């Protein structure tokens, strides 16, 4: 019993610490990701339980030895995550959006790192399953503080799931609750998924949700003239795409609501896919392209079909029109290599007129923000301060 627990803890802990890339893993990437993300999210509970295993098995070589490996790797992983917190604080200081003291952790933070998946905040109102369209998938949840205040800036969160799975309420929960507690109106949306619905259904729904939010925001205490977007993985892709689409492309996708301005004022895409055609050979896997053909896109990327693949790729829309943007990607991502984000950044950064930043999170895995841990909370706090700064600059410009 004890040796089995020790082995399990060691496997999770080592997987969370060792960075293997998709090119190395291929078909094993999903399994490795599951092991690694558990090792990273539950780093503090694993460390504590592993210490307990060492003490409980004291006097027996095997459980103590394996338990010690789990303790050592979990401790190293925890230190690395605390270094991410320090890096985020330094980055915020350089941008002038927060001080290092704003990133000091508290006993409450440690409690969250122990509970990991408990993300609820007191004092929040949640309105669930609100329809933003006529289809069953077109629903959203709204999170807001119960305290009375002026109209709140709005953040729309777009879930991930490879465009074929996922629901609102599953991803980005720590950021959603933290932003709502900080005085934002946060909207968590669902959208149509493949293979039943093919692109551009996903981005059409995102634009429809933005239009609904802008039209109905004041009824929930939101400020319709400031809307920011965020999301991870497929949600990161849709966040970037919705932020980058030019006016003509928007109108083509907004079939029955073309008169509503769906441009947004800031975006923060997490570990997204930016080039569906993989022109830099970063993914370099025929199985991924076949998955996109079979499940996501309406046809293969040849002839007329290639036009849609380009339209779906944020890297094909780069330009000076992008609103303030903070791109986030983990350096150890085994599902979407960080090089994907780096290529997008290289294309967009020289063209940006608004603030544009790229944060590479050392050692962080894909979907590292599914729950509370030191690195996830640090990056979420950085995103919060970035979006707060964007809103303050916007509000000041409106007064001037």
């Amino acid at each position: 019993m004890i040796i089995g627990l020790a082995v399990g803890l060691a496997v999770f802990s080592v997987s969370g610490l060792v960075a293997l890339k998709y090119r190395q893993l291929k078909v094993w990437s999903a399994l490795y990701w599951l092991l690694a993300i558990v090792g990273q999210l539950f780093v503090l509970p694993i460390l504590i339980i592993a210490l307990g295993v060492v003490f409980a098995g004291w006097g027996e070589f095997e459980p103590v030895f394996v338990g010690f490996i789990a303790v050592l790797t979990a401790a190293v992983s925890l230190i690395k995550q605390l270094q991410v917190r320090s890096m985020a604080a330094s980055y915020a200081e350089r941008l002038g959006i927060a001080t290092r003291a704003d990133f000091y952790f508290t006993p409450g933070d440690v409690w969250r790192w122990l509970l990991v998946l408990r993300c609820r905040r007191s004092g929040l109102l949640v309105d669930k399953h609100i329809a933003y369209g006529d289809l069953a998938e077109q629903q959203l949840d709204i999170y807001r503080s119960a305290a009375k205040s002026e109209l709140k800036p709005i953040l729309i969160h777009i879930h991930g799931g490879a465009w074929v799975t996922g629901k609102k309420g599953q991803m980005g929960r720590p950021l959603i609750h933290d932003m709502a507690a900080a005085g934002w109106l946060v909207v968590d949306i669902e959208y149509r998924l493949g293979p039943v619905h093919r692109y551009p259904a996903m981005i059409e729904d995102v634009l429809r949700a933005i239009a609904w939010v802008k039209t109905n925001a004041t009824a929930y205490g939101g400020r319709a003239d400031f809307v920011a977007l965020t999301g991870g993985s497929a949600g990161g892709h849709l966040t970037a795409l919705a932020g980058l689409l030019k006016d003509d492309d928007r109108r083509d996708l907004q079939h029955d609501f073309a008169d509503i301005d769906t441009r947004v004022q800031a975006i923060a895409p997490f570990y997204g896919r930016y080039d569906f055609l993989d022109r830099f050979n970063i993914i370099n896997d025929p199985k991924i392209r076949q998955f996109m053909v079979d499940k996501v896109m309406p046809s293969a990327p040849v002839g007329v079909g290639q036009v849609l693949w380009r339209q779906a790729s944020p890297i094909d829309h780069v330009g000076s029109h992008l609103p303030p943007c903070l791109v986030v990607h983990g350096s150890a991502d085994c599902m979407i290599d960080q090089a994907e984000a780096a290529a997008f950044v290289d294309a967009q950064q020289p063209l940006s007129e608004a603030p544009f930043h790229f944060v590479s999170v050392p050692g962080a895995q894909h979907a590292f923000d599914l729950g509370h841990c030191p690195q996830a909370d640090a990056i979420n706090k950085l995103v919060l301060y970035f979006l707060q700064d964007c809103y303050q600059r916007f509000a000041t410009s409106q007064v001037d």
Side-chain angles (χ1 to χ4, degrees):
M1 176 68 178
I2 294 180
I3 183 63
L5 178 59
V7 169
L9 293 171
V11 168
F12 285 127
S13 190
V14 170
S15 300
L17 187 61
V18 177
L20 297 179
K21 297 292 188 177
Y22 181 83
R23 286 174 179 265
Q24 300 166 296
L25 295 163
K26 297 292 185 181
V27 296
W28 298 104
S29 60
L31 175 60
Y32 182 78
W33 170 79
L34 181 61
L35 297 173
I37 197 62
V38 170
Q40 292 193 0
L41 286 174
F42 292 85
V43 59
L44 186 55
I46 287 174
L47 176 58
I48 293 172
I49 296 171
L51 284 169
V53 167
V54 170
F55 285 116
W58 199 257
E60 299 181 42
F61 174 76
E62 287 184 348
V64 171
F65 177 74
V66 178
F68 181 75
I69 292 175
V71 169
L72 181 62
T73 52
V76 172
S77 184
L78 180 61
I79 291 170
K80 286 182 174 292
Q81 290 202 27
L82 292 174
Q83 290 173 339
V84 169
R85 198 172 184 91
S86 178
M87 177 214 75
S90 298
Y91 201 97
E93 274 193 324
R94 288 199 304 273
L95 296 182
I97 59 177
T99 66
R100 182 166 291 275
D102 292 319
F103 284 80
Y104 292 163
F105 63 85
T106 66
D109 292 320
V110 177
W111 183 242
R112 291 182 186 181
W113 302 340
L114 287 170
L115 297 179
V116 184
L117 298 179
R118 189 181 183 280
C119 302
R120 293 182 180 178
R121 303 288 179 271
S122 60
L124 295 185
L125 299 176
V126 184
D127 300 286
K128 287 185 170 290
H129 312 309
I130 301 171
Y132 67 83
D134 297 328
L135 303 178
E137 300 90 344
Q138 295 170 336
Q139 294 191 18
L140 53 81
D141 297 339
I142 297 178
Y143 299 75
R144 54 197 165 121
S145 172
K148 292 183 178 180
S149 67
E150 298 179 349
L151 292 178
K152 302 173 176 65
I154 300 169
L155 176 66
I156 297 176
H157 176 264
I158 309 168
H159 71 78
W163 307 274
V164 298
T165 188
K167 300 181 69 175
K168 58 183 173 61
Q170 292 180 340
M171 297 181 165
R173 292 167 60 239
L175 180 62
I176 288 171
H177 287 82
D178 284 347
M179 293 294 292
W184 286 63
L185 184 78
V186 184
V187 182
D188 192 17
I189 72 169
E190 283 183 16
Y191 51 92
R192 285 173 289 170
L193 300 169
V196 175
H197 304 285
R198 303 301 182 102
Y199 181 89
M202 303 82 174
I203 189 62
E204 287 174 352
D205 283 0
V206 170
L207 297 177
R208 185 177 294 277
I210 295 171
W212 186 95
V213 167
K214 288 194 171 189
T215 303
N216 296 277
T218 53
Y220 296 90
R223 182 167 174 171
D225 59 349
F226 189 92
V227 177
L229 297 182
T230 191
S233 197
H237 157 260
L238 292 168
T239 292
L241 188 59
L244 276 165
L245 286 172
K246 297 181 177 68
D247 291 343
D248 288 345
D249 293 322
R250 286 179 194 278
R251 282 190 290 269
D252 290 342
L253 294 166
Q254 296 175 206
H255 305 297
D256 57 342
F257 56 102
D259 58 323
I260 300 178
D261 183 2
T262 57
R263 291 175 298 178
V264 295
Q265 283 61 58
I267 64 171
F270 281 59
Y271 40 85
R273 183 86 190 273
Y274 302 101
D275 179 13
F276 275 20
L277 291 170
D278 194 26
R279 279 157 284 194
F280 299 97
N281 291 319
I282 294 167
I283 305 297
N284 195 27
D285 186 354
K287 291 181 180 179
I288 295 297
R289 175 167 291 200
Q290 194 59 48
F291 168 84
M292 298 297 288
V293 172
D294 292 342
K295 305 289 188 181
V296 181
M297 301 301 291
S299 64
V302 293
V304 176
Q306 190 176 87
V307 174
L308 268 183
W309 285 63
R310 287 182 178 276
Q311 185 198 74
S313 299
I315 201 167
D316 278 281
H317 301 274
V318 296
S320 60
H321 60 289
L322 181 69
C325 175
L326 178 65
V327 178
V328 177
H329 213 110
S331 69
D333 194 320
C334 72
M335 301 298 283
I336 302 177
D337 197 288
Q338 180 184 250
E340 180 87 2
F344 171 69
V345 170
D346 287 344
Q348 173 60 48
Q349 197 158 41
L351 305 176
S352 283
E353 295 181 358
F356 182 86
H357 308 288
F358 174 41
V359 176
S360 170
V361 187
Q365 190 48 261
H366 194 74
F368 67 87
D369 59 332
L370 280 173
H372 289 292
C373 62
Q375 65 184 7
D377 284 2
I379 297 304
N380 284 341
K381 184 165 284 194
L382 177 61
V383 171
L384 186 154
Y385 286 127
F386 171 76
L387 293 176
Q388 291 276 44
D389 182 67
C390 291
Y391 174 63
Q392 289 165 4
R393 290 173 183 268
F394 173 83
T396 300
S397 70
Q398 298 303 295
V399 173
D400 295 342

